[in-house]
Amino acid sequence: MEIKNEVNYGCPIEYTMNLIAGKWKLVILWHLSQEKVMRYGEIKKSLNNITHKMLSQQLKELEADGFIHREAYSQIPPKVEYSLTRSGESLIPILESMSKWGKNHLKEK
């Protein structure tokens, strides 16, 4: 099955990696899968050493690709919440497998 998109990908893995590539994207998705809804500050606290610029960029890309939903509330002080979309939730089994593999691999080291 050939995937049609703006770019011609060699295989489905290449297409998937293009969407989730980024040092922090999978970690952001993992934290959202655990907490369901998180505010920007909560996400930032859960990630070690991420800059404001990088977090903002990664969140914007995840939202543009349909993996997360951004809900902005018009109130003072401003409130923004992030959650997984159905597409983002579909990655949870993959993230769980990666977490399990990481735990097992760390034990071996």
Side-chain angles (χ1 to χ4, degrees), residues 9-72:
Y9 294 99
C11 70
I13 297 291
E14 185 180 353
Y15 169 75
T16 304
M17 288 301 299
N18 183 62
L19 289 176
I20 60 174
K23 181 176 180 179
W24 299 100
K25 286 184 181 180
L26 291 175
V27 181
I28 292 167
L29 292 169
W30 174 252
H31 285 288
L32 285 172
S33 76
Q34 302 301 297
E35 299 295 328
K36 304 302 179 206
V37 175
M38 296 178 78
R39 294 180 67 177
Y40 179 90
E42 294 171 321
I43 297 171
K44 185 149 182 14
K45 285 179 188 174
S46 69
L47 304 172
N48 295 327
N49 303 316
I50 191 168
T51 64
H52 166 72
K53 180 180 177 182
M54 179 58 71
L55 178 56
S56 294
Q57 178 185 340
Q58 299 283 272
L59 289 169
K60 286 176 185 175
E61 289 176 13
L62 286 167
E63 182 183 13
D65 290 333
F67 292 119
I68 63 172
H69 172 72
R70 180 183 185 272
E71 185 71 36

